[in-house]
Amino acid sequence: MPQLKAHLKINKNFCIEEKPGDTILVVFGASGDLTERKIIPALFNLYQKKLLPKKFFVLACARTKLDDISFRDQIKSSLMQTNYQGTQDVLTVFCNLFFYLSGDYHDPRTYADLSLLLDKTGKKNCNLLFYLATPPVVYDPIVENLGKAGLVKDCHEGIFYPRVVVEKPFGHDLSSALELNAKLRDILAERQIYRIDHYLGKETVQNILMFRFANTIFEPVWNRQYIDHVQITVAEDIGVGHRAGYYDKAGHLRDIFQNHMFEMMALVAMEPPASFEADRIRDQKTEFFRSIRPVQLTDIVRAQYKEGIIKNTVVPSYRQEQGVPPDSVTETFVAAKLWVDSWRWHDVPFFLKTGKRLAKGFSEIAIKFKHVPHSIFGPIHSVDMPSNELVFNVQPNEGIALTIQAKYPGPKLCMSTLTMDLFYKDVMETEMPSPYERLLIDCMLGDQTLFIRQDEIELEWGLVDPILKSWELEPSVRELKFYPAGSWGPAEADELIGSEGRCWHRQN
Ligand SMILES: NC(=O)c1ccc[n+]([C@@H]2O[C@H](COP(=O)([O-])OP(=O)(O)OC[C@H]3O[C@@H](n4cnc5c(N)ncnc54)[C@H](OP(=O)(O)O)[C@@H]3O)[C@@H](O)[C@H]2O)c1
């Protein structure tokens, strides 16, 4: 297929990057994987870009016994294993922003020590950010103890107020999400709670809003009249890795579908918000979730990977992975057909597909437009002409691709499909920031636009909960399909989309 390389002229019309007010970040679970691989590298990038506030400290808390010096040494050696090319001095200055506190999350003395440390670092006129980077079992005791220690009191005035960042998973079904929300809301105001879905920090995902609402040419065709269907794919070629303990209990529907997939779907399909304010956008997302029709069990396929070949290497089946029970019935793949009951999307199917150990790792949103209503190019019929496609490439090569039909030079009638690919990395002449950079800065700024509101998360769980319950109660509907690792999923997923006369966008 001929590729058209885009030549872009970029004028930065309008560009805001606010620097947040002075901040103290308290990370619980600071000895863990998320802190090491995501939070600290993101903070280091922000530090190098001079985007951190003038006064900024991190109080790292965990049960592991360490002191400031040994924790700083750990961070330093971990950052040196990334492709950092700068000087040791810069690393040292950055690592000196970290202080370490060890303690039990259930013990009030931990919070008394924390309070003393916060006083010592001078918390007055600072944003206090508490990041829960621990397993979810301790979210509740941490917040309760922060409340008892008077550390998360909302002052209801001024720009400095304590905030709590809550990692996913937020609950494991509707009732546990309701319970966690109730516990958090007992102690915190909604404006203090930052429920993270790191997909919302990805540039392409954020760009969906600008693409739709900063251009006039797309919104008029963004509806059932012009769009045939929408496909959202989150495909991983990796297996369960070291996460079997959590993943085997959760399954893929909870791990990816309930959050990342629904969030991307909402941004693509919600109505225009009145403004780019957090609650105006989140109002429209919740309204959209209300319009998703309850998913029919016949419209969802659950499957698990068997042994297969990926990148010329034989990889084991899910049941053979370390930490997975040999008789596990946990799904590693979900495909579903969803309908949206609204004027805009009536009769437009949304196909969502996500799985582990698939042929390629990528995430994308593909908007498939309708065929032209009539062909003037006989003998080609309108249904034989490929329809236009617009694809948001979410990862790994973030960008946008638009396909159009065009005349191929030469013969009198020779139609070809051109793809206009805009890879952000190539055309924007800037490094793509990690999602955690954007999200951490937004927490410091008090901007909740990219975070999930209480009603939003409850509506998402409300859509997934009946499926989970049916899978638990009725083994016949829970029936697990299998697919070889390195394939595009089970045949039943192809049948699901095939039954609507469509096929998956990228399966080659
Ligand atoms: N890792 C990721 O890429 C990732 C991505 C998305 C979301 N998340 C979420 O982020 C959170 C942290 O993830 P993680 O991968 O960093 O987890 P982790 O490494 O398993 O745990 C983080 C730290 O929490 C402490 N911890 C472990 N079990 C505990 C328990 N039962 N009670 C109290 N403390 C305990 C441990 O530190 P001490 O023993 O020193 O206290 C551990 O170093 C989780 O909720 C996870 O689902 C992680």
Side-chain angles (χ1 to χ4, degrees):
M1 188 184 291
Q3 298 268 312
L4 189 69
K5 193 91 192 145
H7 294 280
L8 277 194
K9 197 170 161 202
I10 301 167
N11 289 321
K12 273 197 200 168
N13 296 329
F14 187 61
C15 199
I16 300 175
E17 184 64 277
E18 290 173 67
K19 206 166 177 166
D22 294 346
T23 300
I24 301 176
L25 171 65
V26 180
V27 180
F28 294 104
S31 59
D33 177 71
L34 182 78
T35 308
E36 184 186 349
R37 286 193 312 112
K38 304 286 181 190
I39 300 176
I40 292 176
L43 290 172
F44 187 46
N45 287 344
L46 292 172
Y47 173 75
Q48 290 179 290
K49 292 176 193 169
K50 302 196 182 339
L51 286 173
L52 287 179
K54 209 158 149 229
K55 175 174 170 181
F56 179 79
F57 293 111
V58 182
L59 302 188
C61 304
R63 298 171 306 181
T64 303
K65 298 241 175 302
L66 289 173
D67 57 19
D68 294 346
I69 307 287
S70 44
F71 187 69
R72 288 172 192 170
D73 287 346
Q74 272 186 15
I75 306 174
K76 205 173 193 177
S77 69
S78 165
L79 287 171
M80 276 163 59
Q81 280 160 29
T82 62
N83 62 354
Y84 175 63
Q85 316 262 312
T87 64
Q88 287 288 317
D89 286 354
V90 173
L91 262 182
T92 307
V93 176
F94 172 72
C95 293
N96 286 346
L97 298 174
F98 288 73
F99 298 88
Y100 189 84
L101 172 71
S102 72
D104 187 311
Y105 301 124
H106 295 86
D107 185 348
R109 280 176 300 180
T110 305
Y111 304 86
D113 292 347
L114 179 61
S115 201
L116 277 177
L117 212 52
L118 285 170
D119 287 341
K120 240 195 321 201
T121 45
K123 67 176 192 229
K124 197 164 182 308
N125 288 343
C126 274
N127 293 312
L128 272 187
L129 220 63
F130 297 97
Y131 199 125
L132 307 185
T134 61
V137 282
V138 280
Y139 291 171
D140 180 20
I142 293 175
V143 173
E144 197 183 325
N145 278 302
L146 286 173
K148 282 184 186 156
L151 287 170
V152 284
K153 215 181 277 165
D154 187 8
C155 52
H156 298 292
E157 58 191 37
I159 53 164
F160 298 113
Y161 55 93
R163 294 153 210 172
V164 176
V165 184
V166 190
E167 261 297 341
K168 92 178 232 288
F170 193 96
H172 54 89
D173 58 10
L174 179 59
S175 66
S176 58
L178 288 168
E179 198 181 321
L180 180 56
N181 270 331
K183 283 181 172 157
L184 295 180
R185 291 302 310 275
D186 261 356
I187 293 154
L188 305 163
E190 181 59 29
R191 74 166 188 153
Q192 295 180 277
I193 306 172
Y194 287 70
R195 299 175 193 82
I196 269 200
D197 178 342
H198 74 271
Y199 254 66
L200 291 179
K202 288 179 184 286
E203 283 291 330
T204 330
V205 175
Q206 292 173 61
N207 189 41
I208 296 170
L209 289 184
M210 201 158 284
F211 187 91
R212 287 188 61 194
F213 305 126
N215 297 292
T216 47
I217 59 174
F218 300 110
E219 199 49 24
V221 297
W222 214 256
N223 55 50
R224 63 189 303 272
Q225 206 179 335
Y226 294 96
I227 292 179
D228 177 75
H229 72 281
V230 177
Q231 294 188 25
I232 302 178
T233 309
V234 175
E236 296 174 43
D237 55 5
I238 53 170
V240 68
H242 61 277
R243 294 176 68 223
Y246 155 73
Y247 186 87
D248 194 65
K249 286 191 199 82
H252 213 72
L253 189 75
R254 288 185 177 96
D255 194 41
I256 303 286
F257 201 91
Q258 171 270 327
N259 34 66
H260 305 329
M261 306 290 272
F262 276 153
E263 284 297 321
M264 287 195 282
M265 189 178 169
L267 291 177
V268 162
M270 70 186 200
E271 294 301 317
S275 69
F276 194 62
E277 279 169 65
D279 273 333
R280 297 298 71 77
I281 291 170
R282 299 191 304 174
D283 286 347
Q284 294 298 27
K285 282 204 278 170
T286 49
E287 201 50 37
F288 172 72
F289 289 131
R290 285 192 184 96
S291 67
I292 298 180
R293 198 181 301 168
V295 188
Q296 298 289 312
L297 290 170
T298 47
D299 286 346
I300 187 155
V301 175
R302 72 190 291 269
Q304 190 187 79
Y305 62 84
K306 296 190 300 189
E307 187 181 276
I309 297 174
I310 293 190
K311 294 177 187 152
N312 298 323
T313 306
V314 176
V315 295
S317 71
Y318 177 69
R319 290 174 180 179
Q320 291 165 331
E321 300 268 20
Q322 201 182 351
V324 175
D327 56 352
S328 169
V329 288
T330 298
E331 78 285 351
T332 60
F333 175 98
V334 177
K337 178 172 66 183
L338 275 78
W339 300 98
V340 179
D341 289 325
S342 69
W343 277 48
R344 188 188 285 267
W345 297 116
H346 181 75
D347 273 350
V348 178
F350 284 71
F351 297 101
L352 276 54
K353 180 165 90 163
T354 175
K356 286 195 176 296
R357 283 281 193 231
L358 295 179
K360 260 186 205 160
F362 69 91
S363 301
E364 67 173 27
I365 302 164
I367 313 293
K368 300 279 206 168
F369 288 88
K370 290 192 168 171
H371 289 285
V372 291
H374 163 71
S375 169
I376 62 163
F377 302 107
I380 313 171
H381 297 294
S382 64
V383 288
D384 297 327
M385 276 186 231
S387 57
N388 300 115
E389 275 171 20
L390 176 70
V391 179
F392 296 95
N393 292 307
V394 176
Q395 65 182 31
N397 295 317
E398 297 180 285
I400 298 168
L402 178 68
T403 61
I404 54 171
Q405 309 313 313
K407 183 179 182 306
Y408 196 77
K412 182 172 157 56
L413 185 56
C414 186
M415 194 178 287
S416 62
T417 299
L418 296 183
T419 302
M420 292 193 279
D421 273 324
L422 300 182
F423 292 115
Y424 278 10
K425 213 166 45 183
D426 298 345
V427 296
M428 297 297 187
E429 294 159 356
T430 180
E431 275 297 306
M432 300 299 281
S434 88
Y436 281 88
E437 289 177 43
R438 173 77 274 142
L439 297 171
L440 281 161
I441 283 284
D442 283 356
C443 293
M444 296 181 213
L445 288 167
D447 181 350
Q448 292 183 304
T449 308
L450 301 177
F451 296 84
I452 324 262
R453 204 167 60 185
Q454 173 174 358
D455 48 358
E456 217 178 311
I457 198 118
E458 291 171 2
L459 285 161
E460 288 176 351
W461 275 119
L463 287 161
V464 161
D465 211 51
I467 305 168
L468 292 168
K469 293 276 173 329
S470 310
W471 286 354
E472 275 162 27
L473 295 175
E474 295 168 49
S476 61
V477 292
R478 191 183 67 194
E479 194 196 345
L480 193 62
K481 316 287 184 224
F482 291 92
Y483 59 100
S487 70
W488 287 108
E492 287 79 1
D494 297 341
E495 286 159 21
L496 179 80
I497 195 166
S499 66
E500 292 292 333
R502 278 83 167 192
C503 57
W504 294 110
H505 172 240
R506 183 134 69 113
Q507 297 219 139
N508 50 42

